[in-house]
Amino acid sequence: MREPVTNSSNGVEILIAEDSATQAEQLRHYLSAMGYSVTTAGDGKQALAAALENKPAMVITDIMMPEMDGYMLCREFKSSKTLKDVPVVLLTSLSRPQDILKGLECGADSFIRKPYDDKYLASRVEYILANQELRKTERQQLGVQLQFGGQAHFITAEKQQILDLLISTYEGGVQINEELERKQRELARERDLLHTLMDNVPDLIYFKDTDSRFTTINRALAGTLGLSKPEDALGETDFNYFADAYAQQSLADEQEILRTGRPLVGKVEEILLRDKLSVWLSTTKMVIRDVDQSIIGTFGVSRDITESKHAEQALRLAKETLEDRVAERTSELAQVNQQLQIELSERKRAEEQVKRLNEDLERRVAERTVQLAAANKELEAFSYSVSHDLRAPLRHISGFARALAEKHSSQLGSEAQELLKLIQEGSQKMGLMIDDLLNLARLDRREAVATMTPLNSIVDDVLKDLKSELDGRKIDWRVGSLPAVNCDPRLLQQAFANLLSNAVKYTRRQEHAVIEVDQMMINGEAVIYVRDNGAGFDSKHADKLFGVFQRFHSDEEFEGTGVGLTTVQRIIHKHGGRVWAEAARDQGATFYFTLNEKVNVKGTPSLVP
């Protein structure tokens, strides 16, 4: 049982008796918003107890409640000396005239019709409260017995109560009439919308009565039947437009639907119109019921599926044709597969033969590699032995020539002294060549030990070593930012030393010598280069440049043994790279090389002496 709940305010006190918590809260919300103090009770007994404890200015009560209904609550109020002057308003749907008579019998002051809106509720409450004093001064009870619906009703209500009840009843009737007119307008709009939709869809739509006579059809069906307007089909049956067999079956289907109430869904059938035109339809039919759920006819929708049916037939024919072609193609593929198996077998034999040949070739290559490795070792040993063995006689020649020049030069003529000088210079050059050959042989025997090394630090070390050879020369050194690479730093220092010393040597005749060391990208590969503006050489001999003892200048022009660039090439090859040169006589030379290495860190500019 719900206890009375009061919503306090400074307004007039109104008591609400309503067993529906939702309805009670809705009323409380409306009245509180208008400034009234509202108390709610869940049934008539609670409401009466709350009123006796705190007399309200008005009571609004539902009729149907447990324990004590609204009529009984009203009688209790009107029979109480304390509460009889409190207006009692009944919440009712006014669906029966007896509701009004019962309200008069119990002495109710007014009706509020369900459902209500907030504006109507406000006007009724304000009217009743405003006329409350008038009812106190004009109290005159009427004793009238009325016969209505075979029952006697004794009315003891006051004149003002009767008037208020009649006014509220009239207002309720006006509201009902307005709602009825609005619903009729909505129904007309919905009917127009339904006809508009029906006339704008391609499906065939129709309504029939229980005798299977058309009551409504859409324009699509009228066009199919050859009618100028849908109204021409009213009262007609399928027998007027279709072949007898279809019309009879359609009638049987509709009678079965009317008998069982079960719909007919998606029936596919071919029909013949009176003009012998064949049409395929997918039809759904169901019963129509009125407000009392009585069956009053049938409703049907037929979709023209003639095109899809023809497409289905064409597809079936195409499928059959395709299956025949697939069977033929399968037979052909079986023959091709048999031939392919033969070819694969022959190919497998050929592959096995090639495999045996490759294995034999690999064996021969391995044997040849071993032989070549042994030959290279013998060649290196021979080169080292020859170079080493040549040193002894060469030292004798050089020593005897030096002794002859120191002790007996006064006894020699000028021509003999010149020849002696040539012997000494030749032995010195021969010594340098032997030293270079020995270094070259050691280089071939040495394994490269790689470590990540900045190339700028190697160039800096080489430039420091070259200071003693510059002999006061002014050279414009242009050393760029070089990468750090995975290399043998000692070998690469030797390569840079040979390239840079050559650049120093071949620019000695330039008044303004420029030597550049930098990198560039060629086809996505980092390339290091050393460029000078010295004597250069004829580029048509560039392919011989890196051979042992190959020189493009005489000793009178530029000294050298012809082994330095060979050393550079072998060092670069040990690093998996390549080296090449570009030049022109008297226009300088550029030597390029790669190390088969991606740049790992950005280089830093070198220190220039």
Side-chain angles (χ1 to χ4, degrees), residues 143-410:
V144 180
Q145 183 170 338
L146 298 178
Q147 293 290 331
F148 187 85
Q151 292 182 350
H153 299 272
F154 189 73
I155 308 301
T156 60
E158 299 173 359
K159 182 174 66 175
Q160 185 64 37
Q161 286 178 303
I162 296 174
L163 180 60
D164 288 343
L165 282 171
L166 291 175
I167 291 174
S168 60
T169 302
Y170 174 75
E171 288 179 344
V174 170
Q175 279 191 320
I176 293 173
N177 186 60
E178 289 176 350
E179 290 178 4
L180 181 60
E181 291 179 351
R182 178 177 57 80
K183 289 182 178 180
Q184 287 177 338
R185 290 193 297 271
E186 291 177 355
L187 183 61
R189 284 196 298 271
E190 291 175 357
R191 183 175 60 251
D192 293 341
L193 177 61
L194 176 61
H195 281 285
T196 300
L197 293 175
M198 286 175 54
D199 290 339
N200 285 276
V201 296
D203 294 342
L204 312 180
I205 301 176
Y206 45 91
F207 295 83
K208 296 181 180 181
D209 60 20
T210 54
D211 293 326
S212 292
R213 296 184 180 276
F214 290 113
T215 58
T216 302
I217 68 172
N218 68 343
R219 292 189 180 279
L221 179 54
T224 301
L225 300 179
L227 304 177
S228 59
K229 57 184 183 296
E231 291 79 5
D232 293 343
L234 301 184
E236 303 290 332
T237 68
D238 289 338
F239 289 94
N240 297 104
Y241 304 105
F242 302 104
D244 290 344
Y246 171 77
Q248 190 63 45
Q249 183 60 51
S250 177
L251 177 61
D253 291 341
E254 289 164 1
Q255 292 303 312
E256 180 67 14
I257 294 171
L258 291 170
R259 185 181 66 82
T260 63
R262 291 194 297 267
L264 174 71
V265 180
K267 181 178 181 179
V268 177
E269 53 193 346
E270 184 180 18
I271 66 171
L272 290 176
L273 301 178
R274 286 295 182 185
D275 57 3
K276 306 301 182 182
L277 177 65
S278 174
V279 179
W280 282 92
L281 296 177
S282 174
T283 299
T284 296
K285 296 180 180 180
M286 62 191 71
V287 296
I288 307 172
R289 300 179 185 270
D290 60 12
V291 294
D292 296 325
Q293 296 301 305
S294 299
I295 295 176
I296 60 174
T298 58
F299 162 73
V301 178
S302 296
R303 175 161 295 179
D304 189 341
I305 59 171
T306 304
E307 291 186 5
S308 61
K309 200 68 178 178
H310 290 166
E312 179 183 339
Q313 293 171 350
L315 181 62
R316 183 169 58 253
L317 179 60
K319 180 181 178 182
E320 294 172 355
T321 303
L322 179 61
E323 288 175 350
D324 293 339
R325 292 182 179 178
V326 167
E328 295 175 0
R329 186 58 177 162
T330 302
S331 177
E332 294 174 0
L333 288 175
Q335 296 176 3
V336 172
N337 185 58
Q338 185 178 4
Q339 182 63 32
L340 183 61
Q341 292 296 329
I342 296 172
E343 294 178 359
L344 288 175
S345 178
E346 294 177 354
R347 181 175 179 178
K348 185 175 182 180
R349 286 195 297 269
E351 288 177 350
E352 290 175 353
Q353 185 177 1
V354 170
K355 182 179 179 181
R356 289 194 297 270
L357 291 174
N358 284 337
E359 291 173 352
D360 184 61
L361 180 60
E362 289 175 358
R363 179 182 55 78
R364 293 183 181 182
V365 168
E367 293 174 355
R368 186 59 178 164
T369 301
V370 172
Q371 294 173 0
L372 288 175
N376 283 335
K377 289 184 178 180
E378 291 177 0
L379 184 61
E380 290 175 5
F382 175 75
S383 175
Y384 182 80
S385 177
V386 168
S387 299
H388 186 273
D389 293 345
L390 285 175
R391 280 181 174 275
L394 187 60
R395 281 198 298 271
H396 294 161
I397 294 172
S398 178
F400 291 148
R402 184 171 61 254
L404 185 61
E406 292 175 352
K407 296 179 179 181
H408 304 286
S409 60
S410 59

Side-chain angles (χ1 to χ4, degrees), residues 475-478 507 510 512-516 531-534:
I475 298 176
D476 184 3
W477 292 96
R478 300 177 183 177
T507 58
Q510 296 294 328
H512 178 66
V514 178
I515 300 175
E516 182 180 359
R531 180 179 291 139
D532 65 66
N533 64 340

